[in-house]
Amino acid sequence: MTTAKQKEEQEWQCGKCGGALQKGKVKVTYLGNDFEVEEYKCPSCGFVLITEKLALGQMAEVEQSLEDK
């Protein structure tokens, strides 16, 4: 039986090599600061899908907190 999570992961394909993307920990560097997030990445070539949630949510929060320093 396929779970909703498995189905969601099966739908994403790498735009670089065509492989199936899988959720995994990814190191992101933003404005000179590193942090780890759980995002889709290609196990074959390392391509990472930056979701809207990360780009507009978490990265915006980090940017705001850095500007406040």
Side-chain angles (χ1 to χ4, degrees):
M1 175 179 271
T2 304
T3 65
K5 182 180 178 185
Q6 289 171 330
K7 184 177 179 185
E8 180 181 320
E9 289 178 0
Q10 291 171 355
E11 292 177 7
W12 290 103
Q13 288 186 319
C14 178
K16 188 173 179 181
C17 73
L21 298 184
Q22 299 174 348
K23 277 267 192 174
K25 290 206 183 270
V26 177
K27 179 180 168 186
V28 177
T29 301
Y30 186 67
L31 297 175
N33 295 280
D34 297 335
F35 56 100
E36 272 194 357
V37 294
E38 188 87 9
E39 284 297 332
Y40 288 103
K41 65 181 180 178
C42 180
S44 299
C45 71
F47 180 83
V48 176
L49 172 67
I50 302 298
T51 61
E52 182 178 3
K53 178 183 174 186
L54 176 61
L56 299 178
Q58 291 171 306
M59 284 184 171
E61 289 174 16
V62 170
E63 183 176 14
Q64 186 63 44
S65 70
L66 292 173
E67 288 177 0
D68 290 343
K69 287 185 179 183

